[in-house]
């Protein structure tokens, strides 16, 4: 029987993506089977694209943790005349170009898919060709916060709106067994965490996404899920002050499920 092809599905979750980096680093250091395909949504698309290009994510983690608070604030270039978004995202686009340069999907050593939401068509759309930066800007365009992206006559926003955990996308690349990293959102929060429009909008979308994930997917012989959970003090999508703590939550998730994962890898498939 041929060895099944393993694929990664990496969910969105903004700054909670530090947990994705932690889990993926540990997975790559383990005896896990080689990854043959990667799909990512939003921050999962950033991590997945970097992995597909370089075969590792440690240098990405080091770079992110090396960004000062002052530089993070510079990325939040709030527009004085908001039309489609509160942030102009020029600094954010520059950061992505610094990380990925002119790389395209054709430059990756592992097949890659990036999910977006097509506003015109009202459906999830998977990107597999063209500029990585352009695709990442579309996949991470959080509605109302980052500007939507024009591409081929259509308008795109964050892929997490309709497919936060891109299992169908990685299946479309031929993956037969899927390792998913889901950044949990639906946990209780105190009322004092909703002090601005970003926190309210972010929470609403988190709840919608989390409900859809648990309604659609359950673990099986073909799917293993690292479900990273966060305490109420660490649920903000945008807080960059606790990036090391979010990374540690990823490490804790790995250690909690490492034995289960190793057993799943050796389990025969139907």
């Amino acid at each position: 029987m041929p060895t099944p092809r393993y694929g990664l599905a990496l969910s969105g979750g903004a700054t909670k993506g530090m947990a994705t980096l932690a889990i993926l680093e540990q997975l790559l250091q383990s005896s896990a089977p080689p990854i043959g395909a990667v799909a990512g949504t939003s921050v999962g698309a950033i991590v997945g694209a970097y992995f597909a290009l370089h075969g590792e994510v440690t240098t990405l983690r080091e770079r992110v943790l090396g960004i000062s608070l002052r530089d993070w604030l510079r990325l939040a270039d709030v527009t004085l005349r908001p039309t489609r978004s509160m942030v102009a995202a020029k600094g954010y686009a520059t950061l992505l170009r610094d990380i990925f340069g002119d790389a395209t999907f054709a430059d990756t050593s592992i097949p890659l898919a990036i999910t977006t939401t097509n506003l015109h068509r009202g459906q999830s759309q998977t990107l597999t060709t063209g500029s990585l930066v352009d695709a990442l800007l579309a996949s991470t365009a959080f509605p109302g916060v980052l500007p939507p992206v024009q591409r081929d006559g259509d308008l795109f926003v964050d892929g997490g709106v309709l497919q936060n955990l891109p299992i169908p996308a990685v299946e479309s690349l031929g993956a037969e067994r899927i390792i998913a990293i889901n950044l949990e959102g639906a946990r209780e929060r105190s009322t004092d965490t909703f002090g601005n429009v970003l926190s309210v909008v972010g929470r609403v979308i988190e709840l919608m996404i989390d409900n859809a994930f648990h309604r659609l997917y359950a673990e099986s012989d073909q799917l293993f899920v690292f479900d990273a959970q966060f305490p109420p003090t660490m649920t903000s999508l945008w807080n960059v002050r606790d990036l090391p703590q979010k990374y540690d939550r990823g490490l804790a998730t790995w250690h909690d499920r490492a034995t289960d994962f190793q057993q799943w890898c050796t389990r025969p498939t139907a």
Side-chain angles (χ1 to χ4, degrees):
M1 178 180 296
T3 302
R5 189 180 189 190
Y6 286 78
L8 276 179
L10 308 178
S11 86
T15 59
K16 293 189 291 185
M18 291 302 301
T20 300
L21 287 170
I23 295 169
L24 187 49
E25 280 188 280
Q26 296 300 308
L27 187 150
L28 295 174
Q29 294 170 17
S30 73
S31 57
I35 301 299
V38 184
T41 296
S42 202
V43 71
I46 295 175
V47 175
Y50 195 90
F51 171 63
L53 270 177
H54 302 288
E56 54 88 17
V57 293
T58 298
T59 52
L60 177 61
R61 183 253 300 170
E62 292 170 345
R63 177 158 189 168
V64 170
L65 291 179
I67 299 174
S68 68
L69 179 59
R70 177 178 295 181
D71 286 338
W72 279 119
L73 292 174
R74 286 173 181 166
L75 293 178
D77 46 354
V78 178
T79 178
L80 297 178
R81 295 182 178 180
T83 52
R84 290 177 169 175
S85 67
M86 290 182 288
V87 175
K90 293 179 180 178
Y92 172 59
T94 298
L95 175 63
L96 288 181
R97 292 189 182 97
D98 286 343
I99 294 173
F100 292 97
D102 297 325
T104 69
F105 283 87
D107 296 317
T108 63
S109 56
I110 301 171
L112 171 69
I114 291 176
T115 62
T116 63
T117 301
N118 188 317
L119 284 184
H120 290 168
R121 302 175 187 274
Q123 62 188 28
S124 179
Q125 187 163 330
T126 300
L127 305 179
T128 57
T129 61
S131 162
L132 288 183
V133 169
D134 289 349
L136 292 173
L137 287 172
S139 184
T140 58
F142 196 92
V145 180
L146 295 172
V149 173
Q150 195 86 28
R151 180 186 172 108
D152 300 327
D154 286 333
L155 203 61
F156 295 88
V157 295
D158 198 304
V161 173
L162 292 177
Q163 193 182 134
N164 196 51
L165 192 65
I167 291 174
V170 76
E171 288 177 331
S172 73
L173 296 177
E176 298 166 330
R177 302 195 81 191
I178 297 167
I179 304 163
I181 301 177
N182 178 56
L183 302 176
E184 177 69 62
R187 288 291 182 266
E188 290 187 8
R189 290 201 204 174
S190 60
T191 56
D192 59 7
T193 61
F194 304 116
N196 55 61
V197 65
L198 284 181
S199 62
V200 174
V201 172
R203 178 59 167 166
V204 169
I205 293 179
E206 274 187 325
L207 290 170
M208 293 169 63
I209 287 171
D210 189 73
N211 175 66
F213 165 72
H214 286 294
R215 178 166 48 83
L216 293 174
Y217 303 113
E219 284 191 352
S220 66
D221 288 346
Q222 284 72 44
L223 174 65
F224 187 93
V225 183
F226 288 99
D227 203 5
Q229 300 178 1
F230 301 83
T233 56
M234 204 183 298
T235 51
S236 170
L237 291 173
W238 318 110
N239 187 4
V240 296
R241 291 184 173 90
D242 60 2
L243 294 181
Q245 290 77 24
K246 287 169 178 168
Y247 181 85
D248 289 343
R249 289 306 306 163
L251 291 179
T253 301
W254 167 264
H255 291 303
D256 285 345
R257 301 227 59 200
T259 299
D260 294 336
F261 175 65
Q262 295 299 335
Q263 292 174 348
W264 177 84
C265 287
T266 58
R267 186 187 306 167
T269 57

